[in-house]
């Protein structure tokens, strides 16, 4: 099967057929009808074999994850996902693999109401790059730079599950039978907090998604906003699966340094805090307050209740 048959068969009708796509896959470029008074948000994420996934990983899960991690960046910006592009590099065309990967892409793109509108297909070591586009009412995008001293710090969902899932896959950590499905699901099929991200547009002062782990990710908000933070690690939300599978120190390590949870981290000014629970209750995702923004620029203070929390960071960096 050649490149063009491959594209026609698997990637020409992928995701939702949106009415604001004037020209999609098949031309030299896509033509997109961006709404009046909206800003376009664009983000890119790459998954490389050996770095982000194993060669024998389920291709359907890879298709899902590629869309979800890109859409998660849009969610963190408060944007509505609209269009996706795919740069696909494969060593060989294994049709069973491509078919399952495309199915994962399709079902997840459709779930988030976005459409694959183009890409590039090349031969080489396996690499999956996606560019996602979304729209947000003009000036309403959430950024990392708006946190102010005194703001409350929140996270969605629970942290550390994906990192535990990775350890389970690697045989480095055991998880009891009843929790395995949940933990593996969190690792292979992450959810992007799209509806919640949009609901935060008029509430949050800053926001980002958690892809590298809370400890390293929160530093981006501190740097961009020129503030510090005090976080009570005892208030970090943990799943029952983590609580049942790990001692407290391990659970904290996973929650602070484990990547790929794709939950949202955001800050809320005191004045908007009262309405938060009511405003976010329809979204069915728990939000937990874990600390406050302080005035000591760049400083992250970790506490466990009232005590200092000693912590040795072990997060992953590509060139660290
Ligand atoms: P060009 O040579 O003009 O860059 P290509 O021949 O590479 O175009 O691609 C033909 C069409 O197929 C284009 O519309 C391109 O966006 C699309 N396309 C190529 N690869 C993919 C892919 N993996 N997924 C989706 N669309 C793709
Ligand atoms: Mg061309």
């Amino acid at each position: 099967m050649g490149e063009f048959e491959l594209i026609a068969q698997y990637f020409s009708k992928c995701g939702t057929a949106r009415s604001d796509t004037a020209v999609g896959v098949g031309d030299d470029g896509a033509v997109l009808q961006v709404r009046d008074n909206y800003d376009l948000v664009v983000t890119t994420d790459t998954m490389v074999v050996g770095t982000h996934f194993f060669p024998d990983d389920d291709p359907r899960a890879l298709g899902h994850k590629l869309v979800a991690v890109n859409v998660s960046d849009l969610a963190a910006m408060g944007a509505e996902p609209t269009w996706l592009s795919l740069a696909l590099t494969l060593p060989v065309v294994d049709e069973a693999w491509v078919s399952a990967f495309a199915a994962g892409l399709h079902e997840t793109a459709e779930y988030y109401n976005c459409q694959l509108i183009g890409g590039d297909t090349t031969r080489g070591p396996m690499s999956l790059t996606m560019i996602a586009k979304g729209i947000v009412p003009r000036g309403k995008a959430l950024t990392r730079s708006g946190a102010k001293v005194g703001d409350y710090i929140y996270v969605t969902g629970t942290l550390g599950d994906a990192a535990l899932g990775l350890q389970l896959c690697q045989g480095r950590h055991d998880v009891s039978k009843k929790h395995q499905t949940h933990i593996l699901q969190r690792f292979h099929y992450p959810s992007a907090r799209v509806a919640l991200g949009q609901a935060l547009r008029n509430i949050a002062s800053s926001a980002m998604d958690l892809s590298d782990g809370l400890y390293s990710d929160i530093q981006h908000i501190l740097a961009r906003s020129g503030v510090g933070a005090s976080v009570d690690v005892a208030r970090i939300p943990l799943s029952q699966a983590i609580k049942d599978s790990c001692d407290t120190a391990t659970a904290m390590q996973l929650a602070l340094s484990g990547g790929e949870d794709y939950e949202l981290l955001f800050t809320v000014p005191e004045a908007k805090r009262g309405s938060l629970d009511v405003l976010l209750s329809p979204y069915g995702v728990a939000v937990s307050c874990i600390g406050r923004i302080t005035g000591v620029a760049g400083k992250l203070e970790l506490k466990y209740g009232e005590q200092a929390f000693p912590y040795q960071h072990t997060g992953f960096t590509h060139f660290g």
Side-chain angles (χ1 to χ4, degrees):
M1 184 177 245
E3 173 191 342
F4 298 110
E5 289 155 290
L6 193 80
I7 296 164
Q9 168 115 22
Y10 295 109
F11 302 114
S12 63
K13 290 194 179 66
C14 188
T16 302
R18 293 182 61 96
S19 60
D20 50 4
T21 306
V23 179
V25 169
D27 222 302
D28 290 309
V31 181
L32 311 171
Q33 297 167 343
V34 180
R35 255 178 255 170
D36 285 347
N37 299 313
Y38 274 72
D39 291 331
L40 185 67
V41 179
V42 182
T43 179
T44 307
D45 262 298
T46 294
M47 289 167 44
V48 177
V49 69
T51 304
H52 301 92
F53 62 92
F54 308 110
D56 58 349
D57 272 355
D58 175 5
R60 185 174 151 247
L62 292 176
H64 170 98
K65 198 161 178 174
L66 186 64
V67 174
V69 304
N70 273 278
V71 166
S72 174
D73 281 318
L74 297 175
M77 301 296 292
E80 172 191 336
T82 47
W83 301 292
L84 307 170
S85 308
L86 170 68
L88 182 62
T89 305
L90 299 172
V92 290
V93 173
D94 170 349
E95 252 204 270
W97 190 97
V98 174
S99 162
F101 171 73
L105 278 188
H106 174 70
E107 65 201 18
T108 312
E110 200 169 47
Y111 179 79
Y112 292 117
N113 201 30
C114 50
Q115 180 177 359
L116 187 67
I117 47 84
D120 199 17
T121 306
T122 52
R123 184 193 292 268
M126 192 185 281
S127 164
L128 317 170
T129 294
M130 182 159 274
I131 298 170
K133 297 157 199 86
I135 54 174
V136 61
R138 174 117 336 135
K140 290 288 181 191
L142 297 170
T143 66
R144 298 173 176 183
S145 58
K148 299 272 184 316
V149 178
D151 287 357
Y152 289 82
I153 304 167
Y154 286 84
V155 290
T156 60
T158 56
L159 303 190
D161 297 328
L164 182 59
L166 173 63
Q167 296 204 348
L168 177 61
C169 290
Q170 293 172 325
R172 289 166 56 203
H173 206 293
D174 219 18
V175 174
S176 73
K177 262 240 134 31
K178 73 170 179 183
H179 292 311
Q180 282 188 6
T181 311
H182 170 75
I183 285 297
L184 291 174
Q185 187 82 8
R186 291 276 289 165
F187 177 53
H188 289 301
Y189 289 90
S191 304
R193 303 300 186 195
V194 173
L196 200 96
Q198 290 171 50
L200 289 175
R201 277 174 196 159
N202 294 312
I203 302 172
S205 51
S206 72
M208 69 180 299
D209 70 327
L210 292 172
S211 53
D212 295 337
L214 177 65
Y215 185 87
S216 82
D217 282 331
I218 195 172
Q219 320 259 359
H220 298 299
I221 287 186
L222 305 191
R224 300 274 296 184
S225 300
V227 294
S230 173
V231 168
D232 182 352
V233 298
R235 284 155 74 183
I236 294 177
L238 300 173
S239 66
Q240 199 56 47
I242 282 224
K243 289 183 193 163
D244 289 353
S245 311
C246 309
D247 57 49
T248 309
T250 309
M252 289 302 158
Q253 190 77 28
L254 289 169
L256 283 165
S257 69
E260 302 204 291
D261 282 320
Y262 300 102
E263 296 295 350
L264 297 181
L265 169 68
F266 59 98
T267 57
V268 177
E270 172 114 63
K272 299 212 169 149
R273 205 182 166 219
S275 51
L276 193 70
D277 289 343
V278 180
L279 283 168
L280 299 187
S281 60
Y283 298 96
V285 182
V287 300
S288 310
C289 181
I290 59 166
R292 294 199 70 176
I293 295 295
T294 67
V296 197
K299 182 165 195 294
L300 174 58
E301 181 197 22
L302 296 183
K303 297 184 307 175
Y304 193 96
E306 288 308 308
Q307 273 147 38
F309 183 75
Y311 172 71
Q312 190 62 44
H313 185 57
T314 56
F316 173 84
T317 58
H318 283 279
F319 300 103

